[in-house]
């Protein structure tokens, strides 16, 4: 708003500026009038001007008329007002000053905070050049790969978009919608995401440059947005749009199976979840994709959202993902729409699916795949239907900048494929090929009787291996290829053998992180040679392998000492370059092949380690006393022979310790007086030890057993106020008072595991009502009197529940109560719930359709009439059924493999077999399962029935038939242990 008054000077005009509606009374925070000239614009301090109620500005009349249509109309006409020398401007002072500075040639400082005032000023005063400048700035920021929403906060973006929408600035509105689309992942993590207007969100979802890591992230974000906005419209008494309509933009065929299954009980998402599951089942057959493509033409519902801004492609948990879908996403849209191109595409895709028979077919494809240079990370874990060789070819052509590949739990991925992978993607720096660990730990097997379902591939001949030297003739089949791999994870890969380690040692010269946990086929000699060649290694995980004395010698002396002798470094030399000295992560849990003497020297050398795992080894006080490190974050000494005095020695030297695991250490209750270095008085009491620990550390995870008591918990209080995980094992006894105090002492607990503790409904009530962040609750072999009252509290955050021998009273009604209060479980273990019948199957499958882990044992007659409803838990990955009633059909394993596409581990008992045995899938059949464990029992006399003079018998464990499948073969093994 403006008004004018006369003046004698026709070249200048006085602009009297004030904020509209501002209190005209002078206060302590505001000053009187201020007179300025546009000649001094560069020296103006905007923040200082805003403290004045009124600012008078002497400005050039002609410049105002030339640059502003507003002043042109006011000052440039033939009206009497046009000759006035004073003009009152009642407008936002900040907005007007910014626009005026641009008019008189001052440098323009546009940012997310100043943009809106500049837009307001440019529109109201008709400064179109300023408006164009703002539009150019918005275009540059929105299209930049380095800035985008990282430069403009989401709340600013929403506010500016609303302004553009209200003032018909459609061009700018489109710019901000595209900016939101390109930065959707960043926006979805913002607290302001729920404030995005419906129209803006729809425009973003329909934008061709919508950039996502995965379709699941889009679905999760939209569900959060819908929940919030439904509450808002209910409060407002109505709504303009049907907010749930945004769900139609989700490509349900690309959702992970476990996510879709878990949403089957979501009110407005349940139909989409069912549609997704049906789609996943149909897409397992590539021919279905081809027929759908040829019939409908449009394949957009099957295409991954790949744009020039995509940095990560997350396909994990999608068993429906095939080479066909992958290739479709990397082709121009014209191949879906043009009939001639569709026929050409069909022939190429048919060849692609047969690539296992002829690997050269992939490289012969001449399809014009698109290149997405920004992609640096791909996750195809659990994509069980994906043809790995074809996928590698696609990655090499479309993702030339690929740095990180996660391909965990892929049964069809061979260790030898690593060679092809490194050739196709030469810039890879991190590869994760994790697989399920062999359920027969090397350190625990007492007796094995191997046989084979087919002729298994024998372990490689290692007669050519000698300490410090490997015969290079074993590599004649592959030429040397220097790789940039820095982090390599081969956890659980039983198909990895010595020659594979030789290849890694020879070619992966930049290797600094290596995870061989559970690689049971590699030898100590091969590990030793790899360590000798891996000069940059600072993280080594060899738990549950044959890591032994030879490898220790290599770590501690670089191979200069002969194997079989003590690996002491040469006298008079620091040996700071030894591999053991540079290790920051070292895990060797379960490696009992290392003798105590060698273990002592190894522990004495790892002075820089931050994460140390020595569980289930021959570690004793003598070895632990030599540990020189002072920078530990994690220490795991579970199931070793250490005592409390030597443990506290290490703890006091490592005040930064965050994770401590010492469960199963029986000697920890003893204050050992034979501490060689006398670091702790032998008279140290258990309470004093925990008091010292409480004053020196701030723990995040704690696992203890023997010696852990109520007084210990109180003494630890300063150290565990931020504890997120607590496990109390055998030998620990907290007592009722301590368990009631637990939620107060550890209010941030997310995981709680209790073994052999005395519980009550009161204790459980305190735990469940106070620990709001609890995600994991495990109660195993606990005593006391608890009932369903312990679970009558809503725990929506709980994801894993394990009730082992603590709920024998549980009925179907109790199970329903449990389901209503723990609705979001993904892992469930019930052992000893003897009052359950087959109706429990329907309850479990209906209430928890998204389960990925299910363990039912000694649960009455749950399987007394067979197994059917449990197959509705379609995302199951681990399935454990034992002693639940002899009604399981003979074809159950074959049915499970067919109905559960993610299933990897299955455990059964012949006691439950309706016909006394089970059919086993053939090795050549393609499926996801990696381990089948079938326990067998024998009848044992329990007591004598006097009435009939007849002994009563009960089944007891006899042995376990273990069928292990990797990418090479299927082997049968019989062990005495119950796995």
């Amino acid at each position: 708003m403006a008004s004018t008054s006369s003046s004698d000077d026709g070249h200048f005009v006085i602009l009297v500026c004030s904020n509209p509606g501002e209190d005209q009374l002078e206060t302590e925070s505001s000053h009187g009038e201020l007179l300025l000239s546009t000649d001094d614009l560069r020296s103006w301090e905007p923040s200082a001007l805003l403290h004045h109620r009124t600012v008078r500005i002497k400005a050039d009349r002609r410049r105002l008329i030339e640059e502003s249509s507003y002043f042109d109309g006011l000052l440039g006409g033939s009206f009497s007002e046009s000759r006035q020398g004073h003009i009152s401007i009642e407008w936002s002072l900040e907005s007007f000053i910014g626009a005026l500075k641009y008019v008189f040639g001052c440098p323009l400082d546009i940012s997310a905070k100043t943009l809106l005032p500049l837009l307001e000023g440019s529109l109201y005063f008709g400064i179109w050049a300023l408006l164009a400048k703002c539009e150019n700035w918005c275009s540059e920021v929105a299209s930049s790969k380095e800035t985008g929403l990282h430069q403009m906060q989401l709340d600013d973006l929403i506010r500016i978009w609303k302004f553009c929408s209200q003032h018909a600035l459609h061009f700018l509105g489109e710019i901000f919608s595209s900016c939101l689309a390109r930065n959707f992942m960043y926006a979805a993590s913002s607290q302001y995401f729920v404030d995005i207007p419906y129209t803006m969100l729809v425009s973003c979802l329909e934008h061709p440059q919508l950039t996502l890591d995965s379709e699941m992230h889009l679905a999760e974000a939209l569900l959060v947005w819908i929940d919030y906005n439904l509450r808002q419209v209910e409060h407002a008494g109505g709504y303009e749009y049907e907010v749930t309509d945004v769900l139609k933009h989700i490509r349900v065929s690309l959702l992970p199976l476990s996510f879709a299954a878990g949403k089957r009980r979501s009110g407005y998402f349940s139909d989409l979840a069912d549609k997704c599951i049906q789609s996943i089942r149909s897409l397992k057959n590539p021919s279905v994709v081809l027929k759908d493509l040829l019939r409908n033409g449009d394949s957009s519902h099957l295409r991954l959202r790949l744009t020039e801004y995509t940095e990560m492609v997350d396909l994990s948990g999608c068993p429906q993902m095939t080479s066909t879908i992958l290739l479709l996403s990397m082709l121009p849209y014209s191949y879906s729409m043009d009939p001639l191109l569709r026929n050409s595409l069909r022939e190429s895709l048919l060849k692609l699916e047969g690539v296992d028979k002829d690997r050269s077919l992939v490289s012969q494809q001449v399809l014009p795949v698109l290149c997405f240079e920004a992609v640096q990370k791909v996750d195809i874990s659990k994509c069980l239907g994906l043809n790995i060789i074809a996928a590698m070819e696609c990655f090499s052509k479309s993702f030339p900048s690929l740095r990180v590949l996660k391909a965990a739990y892929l049964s069809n991925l061979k260790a030898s494929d690593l060679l092809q992978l490194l050739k196709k993607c030469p810039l890879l720096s991190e590869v994760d090929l994790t697989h399920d660990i062999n359920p027969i730990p090397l350190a625990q097997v007492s007796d094995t009787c191997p046989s084979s379902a087919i002729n298994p591939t024998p372990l490689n001949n290692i007669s050519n291996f000698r300490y410090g030297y490997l015969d290079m003739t074993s590599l004649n089949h592959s030429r040397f290829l220097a790789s940039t791999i820095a982090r390599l994870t081969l956890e659980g890969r039983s198909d990895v053998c010595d020659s594979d380690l030789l290849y890694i040692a020879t070619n992966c010269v930049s290797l600094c992180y290596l995870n061989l946990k559970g690689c049971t086929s590699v030898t100590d000699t091969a590990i030793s040679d790899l360590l000798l060649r891996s000069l940059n290694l600072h993280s080594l995980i060899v738990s549950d392998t044959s890591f032994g004395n030879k490898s220790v010698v290599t770590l501690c002396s670089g191979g200069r000492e002969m194997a079989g002798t003590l690996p002491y470094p040469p006298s008079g030399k620091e040996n700071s370059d030894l591999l053991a000295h540079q290790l920051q992560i070292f895990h060797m849990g379960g490696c009992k092949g290392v003798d105590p003497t060698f273990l002592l020297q190894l522990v004495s050398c790892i002075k820089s380690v931050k994460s140390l795992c020595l569980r289930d080894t021959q570690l004793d006080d003598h070895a632990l006393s030599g540990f020189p490190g002072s920078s530990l974050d994690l220490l795991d000494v579970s199931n070793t022979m250490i005592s409390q005095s030597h443990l506290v020695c290490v703890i006091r030297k490592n005040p930064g310790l965050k994770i401590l695991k010492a469960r199963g250490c029986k000697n920890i209750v003893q204050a050992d007086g034979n501490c060689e270095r006398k670091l702790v008085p032998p008279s140290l009491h258990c309470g004093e030890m925990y008091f010292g620990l409480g004053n020196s550390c701030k723990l995040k995870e704690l696992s203890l057993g023997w010696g852990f008591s109520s007084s210990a918990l109180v003494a630890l209080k300063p150290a565990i106020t931020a504890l997120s995980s607590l496990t109390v094992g055998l030998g620990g006894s907290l007592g009722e008072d301590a368990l009631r105090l637990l939620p107060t002492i550890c209010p941030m607990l997310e995981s709680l595991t209790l073994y052999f503790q005395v519980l009550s409904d009161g204790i459980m009530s305190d735990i469940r009502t106070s620990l709001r962040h609890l995600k994991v609750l495990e109660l195993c072999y606990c005593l006391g009197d608890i009932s369903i009252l312990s679970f009558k509290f809503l725990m929506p955050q709980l994801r894993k529940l394990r009730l082992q021998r603590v709920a024998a009273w549980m009925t179907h009604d109790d199970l329903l109560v449990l389901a209503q209060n723990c609705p979001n479980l993904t892992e469930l273990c019930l052992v000893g719930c003897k009052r359950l019948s087959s109706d429990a199957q329907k309850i479990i499958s209906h209430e928890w359709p998204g389960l990925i882990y299910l363990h039912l044992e000694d649960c009455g007659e749950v399987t007394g009439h067979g197994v059917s409803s449990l197959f509705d838990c379609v995302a199951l990955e681990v399935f454990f059924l034992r002693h639940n009633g002899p009604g399981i059909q003979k074809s159950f394993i074959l049915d499970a493999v067919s109905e559960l596409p993610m299933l990897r581990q299955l455990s059964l008992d012949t006691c439950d077999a309706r016909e006394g045995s089970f059919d086993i899938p053939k090795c050549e059949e393609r499926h996801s399962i990696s381990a089948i464990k079938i326990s067998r029992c024998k009848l044992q006399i329990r007591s004598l029935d006097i009435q009939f003079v007849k002994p009563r018998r009960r089944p007891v464990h006899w042995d376990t038939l273990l069928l292990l499948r990797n990418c090479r073969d299927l082997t049968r093994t019989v062990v005495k242990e119950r796995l």
Side-chain angles (χ1 to χ4, degrees):
M1 299 175 63
S3 61
T4 62
S5 63
S6 62
S7 175
D8 295 334
D9 193 344
H11 295 290
F12 295 95
V13 64
I14 302 298
L15 306 176
V16 183
C17 309
S18 60
N19 280 314
E22 185 175 289
D23 190 355
Q24 297 300 312
L25 296 176
E26 187 174 351
T27 63
E28 293 181 1
S29 60
S30 64
H31 307 286
E33 293 185 348
L34 176 67
L35 179 61
L36 299 171
S37 172
T38 53
D39 294 336
D40 303 322
L41 274 174
R42 295 179 185 274
S43 62
W44 290 3
E45 182 60 42
S47 59
L49 298 180
L50 297 178
H51 290 293
H52 294 269
R53 288 185 295 115
T54 303
V55 177
R56 293 175 175 266
I57 303 172
K58 184 179 180 181
D60 186 283
R61 180 188 297 263
R62 186 171 52 229
R63 188 66 176 267
L64 288 174
I65 292 173
E66 291 174 352
E67 297 293 335
S68 167
S69 62
Y70 175 88
F71 287 109
D72 181 32
L74 189 64
L75 302 176
S78 58
F79 308 106
S80 59
E81 291 84 355
S82 302
R83 292 184 292 274
Q84 299 298 319
H86 291 74
I87 300 177
S88 295
I89 306 294
E90 292 188 8
W91 192 255
S92 167
L93 191 58
E94 179 185 8
S95 176
F96 179 68
I97 293 298
L100 196 64
K101 292 181 73 173
Y102 175 77
V103 167
F104 286 93
C106 291
L108 191 61
D109 179 24
I110 303 180
S111 68
K113 298 300 181 184
T114 64
L115 178 62
L116 191 56
L118 289 175
L119 285 174
E120 291 176 337
S122 66
L123 284 176
Y124 185 82
F125 295 103
I127 308 174
W128 310 125
L130 175 58
L131 179 61
K133 197 81 172 177
C134 292
E135 290 178 347
N136 291 335
W137 181 86
C138 293
S139 297
E140 292 175 1
V141 170
S143 60
S144 173
K145 295 183 179 180
E146 288 77 27
T147 54
L149 280 184
H150 299 280
Q151 181 170 326
M152 183 181 295
Q153 296 299 316
L154 183 58
D155 55 333
D156 293 327
L157 187 71
I158 294 172
R159 188 169 59 253
I160 297 170
W161 183 91
K162 288 181 177 179
F163 176 85
C164 295
S165 179
Q166 294 167 359
H167 295 82
L169 295 177
H170 302 302
F171 174 72
L172 279 180
E174 292 175 1
I175 288 177
F176 291 120
S177 294
S178 65
C179 179
L180 178 61
R182 287 190 289 266
N183 297 275
F184 188 88
M185 292 300 299
Y186 177 80
S189 63
S190 170
Q191 61 177 322
Y192 300 106
F193 179 80
V194 294
D195 297 323
I196 297 176
Y198 174 86
T199 306
M200 184 183 187
L201 182 59
V202 171
S203 178
C204 164
L205 297 177
E206 294 176 348
H207 199 280
Q209 290 186 329
L210 177 60
T211 303
L212 305 168
D213 290 353
S214 75
E215 204 69 19
M216 182 184 71
H217 290 102
L218 174 62
E220 289 178 330
L222 293 184
L223 288 174
V224 172
W225 184 89
I226 290 172
D227 286 340
Y228 176 82
N229 282 273
L230 281 179
R231 291 195 299 270
Q232 295 299 109
V233 297
E234 288 175 2
H235 179 73
Y239 47 86
E240 182 179 358
Y241 304 102
E242 183 62 52
V243 294
T244 57
D245 281 351
V246 297
L247 293 176
K248 68 184 180 183
H249 296 280
I250 299 174
R251 298 176 181 177
V252 295
S253 299
L254 302 178
L255 288 174
L257 179 57
S258 58
F259 175 83
K263 298 299 180 182
R264 295 177 79 174
R265 299 198 65 214
S266 173
Y268 41 82
F269 198 83
S270 57
D271 291 341
L272 280 179
D274 290 335
K275 182 179 178 181
C276 174
I277 293 172
Q278 293 173 5
S279 177
I280 289 173
R281 285 173 171 167
S282 64
L283 289 177
K284 289 170 63 178
N285 185 356
S287 62
V288 174
V289 180
L290 296 175
K291 291 179 181 178
D292 185 60
L293 175 63
L294 293 175
R295 182 177 62 253
N296 300 322
D298 184 14
S299 62
S300 58
H301 65 291
L302 295 176
R303 295 177 68 100
L304 306 178
R305 300 182 193 264
L306 297 176
T307 72
E308 60 179 306
Y309 300 91
T310 302
E311 296 181 357
M312 177 180 177
V313 179
D314 184 359
L315 306 176
S316 59
C318 295
Q320 74 275 22
M321 186 56 55
T322 64
S323 306
T324 300
I325 297 176
L326 198 60
L327 184 58
L328 278 175
S329 306
M330 298 174 178
L331 293 174
Y333 269 97
S334 57
Y335 270 78
S336 300
M337 307 306 296
D338 188 284
L340 294 178
L341 292 177
R342 285 209 306 269
N343 289 331
S344 173
L345 176 61
R346 177 181 179 277
E347 295 177 2
S348 298
L349 295 179
L350 286 174
K351 293 180 180 179
L352 188 64
E353 291 302 328
V355 74
D356 279 336
K357 300 177 181 178
D358 185 0
R359 298 192 175 195
S360 64
L361 285 175
V362 177
S363 59
Q364 294 172 3
Q365 301 302 313
V366 292
L367 296 174
V369 295
L370 301 175
C371 182
F372 304 93
E373 295 186 359
V375 175
Q376 297 193 19
K377 182 176 181 180
V378 173
D379 190 345
I380 55 173
S381 300
K382 301 179 185 177
C383 292
L384 305 167
L386 193 61
N387 186 308
I388 301 302
I389 302 301
M392 289 179 189
E393 188 68 28
C394 292
F395 295 157
S396 66
K397 292 182 178 180
S398 290
F399 307 148
S401 303
L402 187 61
R403 298 290 196 281
V404 179
L405 176 65
K406 294 186 178 296
Y409 305 108
L410 297 181
S411 57
N412 59 338
L413 177 61
K414 305 178 181 64
S416 58
D417 289 335
L418 181 62
L419 171 62
Q420 295 294 326
L421 183 62
L422 298 183
K423 287 181 179 179
K424 294 294 183 182
C425 305
L427 297 182
L428 276 174
S429 61
E430 181 178 346
V431 176
D432 184 352
L433 305 181
T434 298
H435 204 265
D436 290 306
I437 293 179
N438 190 328
I440 315 177
L442 292 175
Q444 295 182 12
V445 175
S446 62
D447 180 36
T448 61
C449 305
S451 60
S452 181
I454 62 172
N455 293 326
T457 303
L459 290 177
N460 287 357
N461 189 334
I462 59 171
S463 60
N464 59 332
F465 282 68
R466 298 190 299 276
Y467 179 73
Y469 171 76
L470 286 171
D471 188 355
M472 294 302 294
T473 59
S474 62
L475 282 185
N476 287 339
H477 65 283
S478 63
R479 56 190 181 85
F480 178 80
L481 176 68
S483 170
T484 58
I485 290 288
R487 295 175 61 89
L488 179 60
T489 300
L490 300 173
E491 181 175 320
R493 303 291 315 197
S494 60
D495 59 315
V496 173
C497 53
D498 289 352
S499 62
D500 296 319
L501 286 195
L502 174 58
Y503 172 80
I504 294 170
T506 307
N507 294 277
C508 302
V509 294
S510 302
L511 195 65
C512 60
Y513 175 98
L514 179 62
N515 184 348
L516 297 175
K517 181 179 179 180
C519 293
T520 54
S521 298
V522 297
T523 63
D524 185 26
T525 302
I527 297 175
S528 173
D529 192 85
L530 179 141
L531 296 177
L532 189 64
R533 298 165 184 265
S534 303
L535 303 179
N536 299 313
L537 201 65
H538 62 63
S539 299
L540 178 63
I541 300 177
V542 289
S543 299
D544 303 316
T545 67
S546 297
F547 178 89
N549 295 340
K550 287 185 179 181
S551 298
V552 172
V553 171
T554 303
L555 283 175
C556 297
S557 64
R560 285 184 288 271
E561 303 296 326
M562 295 299 295
T565 63
L566 291 179
Y568 292 107
S571 59
K573 191 172 182 177
E574 291 293 332
N575 279 327
S576 59
D577 59 337
L578 296 183
L579 185 57
H581 286 179
Q582 68 189 44
L583 286 179
Q584 297 179 23
I585 298 176
F586 180 59
H587 294 188
M588 56 165 288
C591 297
K592 293 191 175 181
V594 180
D595 294 339
T597 309
F598 284 84
L599 190 57
L600 167 64
Q601 189 58 30
L602 175 60
V603 172
S604 301
C605 288
I606 47 177
K607 59 183 181 181
S608 301
V609 70
K610 295 181 179 180
S611 178
L612 178 61
C613 175
L614 300 171
R615 61 160 179 84
D616 298 295
T617 63
Q618 300 188 56
L619 181 71
D620 56 15
D621 286 348
H622 185 54
L624 189 62
S625 64
F627 179 67
S630 59
S631 56
L632 279 177
D633 291 327
L634 179 150
L635 176 62
D636 187 353
V637 290
S638 304
N639 299 316
T640 59
M641 298 173 285
I642 62 167
S643 64
Q644 60 161 302
S645 59
H646 288 75
L647 179 59
V648 80
C649 290
V650 175
I651 292 172
R652 285 182 172 174
K653 290 191 298 181
N654 291 271
L657 192 66
K658 298 291 189 299
I659 301 175
L660 174 62
K661 299 180 180 181
R663 182 178 156 208
C665 299
K666 295 182 179 180
N667 293 344
I668 207 168
V669 296
Q670 303 174 6
D672 184 44
N674 298 319
C675 184
E676 183 178 329
R677 304 194 176 191
K678 304 295 182 183
L679 295 177
V680 178
S683 60
L684 180 70
H685 295 294
C686 184
E688 296 176 13
M689 183 191 81
Y690 286 111
F691 183 78
L693 176 61
N695 289 334
S696 61
C697 299
K698 295 295 182 182
L699 296 173
K700 294 293 185 182
E701 296 183 27
L702 181 63
S703 178
L704 294 171
W706 296 96
F708 190 51
S709 62
S710 302
S711 58
L713 181 69
V714 174
L716 278 174
K717 183 177 180 179
I720 58 177
T721 54
L723 197 70
S724 62
S725 177
L726 174 64
T727 299
V728 181
L730 179 64
S733 180
L734 291 184
E736 181 176 357
D737 292 340
L739 288 171
R740 286 183 177 274
L741 283 174
L742 190 60
T744 304
I745 297 176
C746 310
M748 305 305 293
L749 272 181
E750 296 181 7
S751 176
L752 177 62
T753 303
L754 301 176
Y755 287 85
F756 299 101
Q757 302 301 303
V758 180
L759 302 178
S760 67
D761 285 336
I763 292 173
M764 292 303 303
S765 174
D766 291 341
I767 290 175
R768 292 175 65 85
T769 56
S770 302
L771 297 179
R772 297 295 184 181
H773 305 283
L774 201 62
K775 297 179 181 178
V776 177
L777 178 61
E778 298 179 296
L779 307 176
C780 307
Y781 303 100
C782 291
L783 307 175
D785 185 20
I786 65 172
S787 67
I788 192 58
L789 295 177
S790 297
F791 300 95
K792 284 191 174 181
F793 301 95
L794 186 63
M795 298 190 71
Q797 300 296 326
L798 198 66
R799 295 295 182 269
K800 180 178 180 179
L801 177 63
R802 184 180 179 188
L803 302 177
Q804 194 163 354
R805 307 291 181 188
V806 295
W809 40 262
M810 184 174 290
T811 64
H812 296 123
D813 291 339
D814 297 333
L815 189 60
L816 278 171
V817 172
L818 185 66
Q820 292 167 1
N821 291 291
C822 305
N824 297 315
L825 292 183
T826 58
E827 300 186 36
L828 175 65
C829 173
L830 298 177
V831 178
C833 302
K834 296 182 177 295
R835 300 180 66 181
L836 297 179
S837 69
S838 58
D839 291 338
Q841 288 191 45
K842 294 181 180 179
I843 297 175
I844 292 172
S845 60
H846 181 266
E847 301 295 331
W848 296 297
L851 288 176
I852 62 173
Y853 177 100
L854 179 60
H855 180 163
L856 301 176
E857 183 174 359
D858 285 337
C859 289
E861 293 293 319
V862 170
T863 60
H865 299 287
V867 176
S868 57
S869 298
L870 292 179
F871 287 147
D872 291 335
C873 299
V874 294
L876 277 176
E877 299 177 15
V878 179
F879 201 2
F880 195 116
L881 294 174
R882 281 184 181 168
H883 292 175
N884 300 301
I888 301 181
Q889 55 271 31
K890 187 175 184 179
S891 62
F892 173 77
I893 298 178
L894 302 179
D895 296 338
V897 168
S898 175
E899 297 291 331
L900 307 175
M902 303 287 287
L903 187 64
R904 301 197 319 273
Q905 298 185 43
L906 179 63
S907 299
L908 301 169
D909 196 301
T910 54
C911 294
D912 295 335
R914 184 185 303 164
E915 300 178 37
S917 63
F918 298 103
D919 293 330
I920 305 298
K922 297 178 181 179
C923 179
E924 59 270 16
E925 294 178 359
R926 187 175 180 179
H927 51 76
S928 61
I929 202 157
S930 62
I932 300 175
K933 294 174 280 187
I934 303 177
S935 296
R936 296 184 286 197
C937 298
K938 66 176 181 179
L939 293 178
Q940 186 179 71
I941 296 177
R942 179 170 57 183
S943 62
L944 191 64
D945 190 324
I946 302 298
Q947 181 179 357
F948 299 99
V949 194
K950 180 175 170 183
R952 299 180 63 183
R953 300 175 181 271
R954 65 184 180 94
V956 295
H957 177 76
W958 176 248
D959 61 16
T960 301
L961 171 63
L962 182 63
L963 295 97
L964 298 178
R965 180 181 180 271
N966 57 31
C967 59
R968 295 185 309 186
D969 50 51
L970 175 68
T971 60
R972 296 173 182 258
T973 303
V974 178
V975 297
K976 293 299 183 184
E977 286 79 7
R978 189 182 189 195
L979 302 175

